[in-house]
Amino acid sequence: MAESGTRRVDWRALWASGDLARFCFISLGILLHATNETMVATVMPAMVGEMAGVQLVGWSLAIYELGAIVAGAAAGRLVSYVALRTNMMVAALLYAAGALICAASPSMQFFLAGRLIEGLGGGALVSLAYVSVERLFERAVWPQLFGIMSAVWGVAAFSGPMLGAIMTELLSWRWAFGIFTLGGAAMALASLIVLNTPEATKPRPSIGKAPPFPVAALSCLTLAVVLIASAGVDIAPLRSSLLMVLGLAGLALFFTVDALKPRSRLFPSQLFSWRTPVGAGMTMVAAFSVATCSFGVYGPLLLTSLHDIPILTTGYIIAAESIAWSILSILVANAPPRRERQIIVGGAVMIAAGIAGFAYTVPAGSIPLILLCALLQGGGFGVAWPFLTRIIVTSARRDEQTIASAAVPTMQRIGYAVGAALTGIVANASGFSEGLNREAAANVASWLFLAFVPLGIVGCLAALRASATDRPRGSAG
């Protein structure tokens, strides 16, 4: 299609052709994954009250993110060998099976197994949604379709906590996962019907040889996160310290192995070097992703245990954090480039202030102040992230800019997985290793957020460095 024809999209024709309906169906995979991801924290108080296992709360996000990282990396490569429709059906069935295991779990251990399977299915569905845009739709409508995808993420971020809270209040936390079981099964069936074009039913090999799957790197990552999470289950100074050291060594090995495999690497070169905007920017992504997990994982559990705050209220607070992210991203999108540094640093300071503020507001139980901290944390991400991503991508070497663009969300997921594992260590060491009670919750609330303030400071310093060292596009970095 000529360039002049790419400016305007005929949505009526797109709907008449069936392409728009097909795209809306594909976006359902993103909705299922993202809604489930944000829902779990609000059902956690009821779930722990029924099944116990408060020591494993941190695992619920860590293991889900691990599954999503592995499946996301695999799905983009599998479509070169297996039809898109088949990939989509398998991913949806995996997701449904994981949700069913979660819904029927008799113990936290079974629940975590379900979360891993859910993560595999959900991560694959998200990756396949983006692949589908490239495979099934004309380039002219890609910007509009990616815009719709962004809106879907926003809807999911708001609806997840609400769904979890409402289902827990009206029926049971198990019904929340039951809905996702039905959603995954329905998507698998619909994939068979809707994805009926040649582009979807036949594999399409990539130009040249498809990049190999990063087995060694992702194995190191998985082992590292499991070791870190295990360090917090039964707190014992020698054992926990050893597992922690081994886990951190595994993380270092993961990044080292990734750098040694140029054809399958997940991250650009000089990943954490503060001499480059790429390295400083990725450090900021990693630091804040790890540091902001505490409230998302333990917030509702602490608020209900300490202050008897209704689950629906905690759901609104978590949703408000996501809404602030989306709204402020839109508001600053057209800011002039000369304001870029102030915007990134300002966003970083907002995030750090939110992290530190939770250390006071959660033990105090002030809903307005807790909401303010949530808005600061989410709004800070919304302000800084679009401009930080631009700096990282445009400052990367020309042959690594595609890798750099995908590396930001990948690093976020890794940060969430590691952060969730670390929150488990802090929470259990502060009192949850003895079980869930008001005294333990009070002690956990005092330490859980303070422990991550240093990482918030690192994020702010990295923001200063990244925005101060921006280089022209194509720099060797």
Side-chain angles (χ1 to χ4, degrees), residues 55-56 58-59 62 222-236 239-244 247 420-422 424-425 428:
Q55 299 89 346
L56 298 173
W59 283 73
T222 302
L223 180 60
V225 173
V226 169
L227 287 170
I228 293 171
S230 299
V233 175
D234 294 311
I235 299 296
R239 172 187 167 277
S240 297
S241 299
L242 179 61
L243 288 174
M244 184 70 177
L422 290 174
I425 294 176
N428 291 336

Side-chain angles (χ1 to χ4, degrees), residues 67-336:
I69 292 166
V70 173
R77 291 164 170 81
L78 283 175
V79 290
S80 295
Y81 308 102
V82 181
L84 178 63
R85 179 169 69 176
T86 303
N87 273 289
M88 193 76 80
M89 290 174 63
V90 171
L93 288 173
L94 269 176
Y95 180 88
L100 180 60
I101 293 171
C102 290
S105 293
S107 67
M108 185 65 88
Q109 287 78 7
F110 277 93
F111 175 80
L112 293 177
R115 287 291 285 168
L116 176 61
I117 297 171
E118 261 191 327
L120 289 169
L125 286 174
V126 172
S127 180
L128 291 170
Y130 284 91
V131 170
S132 298
V133 171
E134 184 268 331
R135 290 286 178 94
L136 305 181
F137 304 97
E138 293 185 19
R139 186 180 296 271
V141 298
W142 286 5
Q144 289 78 12
L145 299 186
F146 285 133
I148 295 174
M149 283 182 166
S150 297
V152 170
W153 279 104
V155 170
F158 175 78
S159 61
M162 295 299 96
L163 175 64
I166 291 171
M167 295 305 296
T168 301
E169 292 282 353
L170 297 181
L171 295 170
S172 163
W173 65 267
R174 296 182 184 275
W175 278 98
F177 288 98
I179 289 175
F180 289 113
T181 302
L182 296 175
M187 186 162 187
L189 178 61
S191 297
L192 184 65
I193 301 169
V194 175
L195 298 179
N196 56 2
T197 63
E199 294 83 2
T201 56
K202 297 178 181 178
R204 191 178 80 188
S206 303
I207 298 174
K209 190 176 180 181
F213 183 71
V215 176
L218 290 177
S219 297
C220 292
L221 174 65
T222 302
L223 180 60
V225 173
V226 169
L227 287 170
I228 293 171
S230 299
V233 175
D234 294 311
I235 299 296
L238 181 59
R239 172 187 167 277
S240 297
S241 299
L242 179 61
L243 288 174
M244 184 70 177
V245 169
L246 290 174
L248 293 176
L251 276 179
L253 183 60
F254 159 68
F255 290 116
T256 301
V257 171
D258 181 69
L260 295 175
K261 301 286 185 179
R263 294 198 62 249
S264 62
R265 67 189 310 170
L266 300 172
F267 298 102
S269 54
Q270 294 184 295
L271 181 59
F272 294 119
S273 171
W274 282 32
R275 293 177 299 172
T276 69
V278 174
M282 293 302 292
T283 301
M284 177 180 167
V285 173
F288 280 136
S289 298
V290 173
T292 54
C293 281
S294 300
F295 189 74
V297 175
Y298 284 97
L301 185 62
L302 291 172
L303 293 178
T304 54
S305 300
L306 284 175
H307 311 295
D308 297 320
I309 294 176
I311 291 177
L312 191 59
T313 302
T314 66
Y316 277 120
I317 293 172
I318 292 178
E321 182 177 342
S322 300
I323 293 169
W325 185 325
S326 299
I327 291 176
L328 288 186
S329 289
I330 295 170
L331 292 179
V332 303
N334 294 320

Side-chain angles (χ1 to χ4, degrees), residues 1-67:
M1 186 177 293
E3 179 66 25
S4 61
T6 66
R7 303 273 182 194
R8 186 178 182 85
V9 178
D10 188 341
W11 292 102
R12 185 175 298 176
L14 197 63
W15 177 263
S17 69
D19 282 346
L20 187 58
R22 189 175 292 112
F23 172 76
C24 291
F25 157 74
I26 290 166
S27 296
L28 178 61
I30 295 177
L31 186 66
L32 288 173
H33 167 74
T35 304
N36 190 309
E37 187 178 45
T38 58
M39 175 202 73
V40 173
T42 52
V43 306
M44 194 60 68
M47 192 174 70
V48 170
E50 180 179 329
M51 295 194 306
V54 69
Q55 299 89 346
L56 298 173
V57 167
W59 283 73
S60 64
L61 177 62
I63 204 163
Y64 184 85
E65 294 295 350
L66 272 180

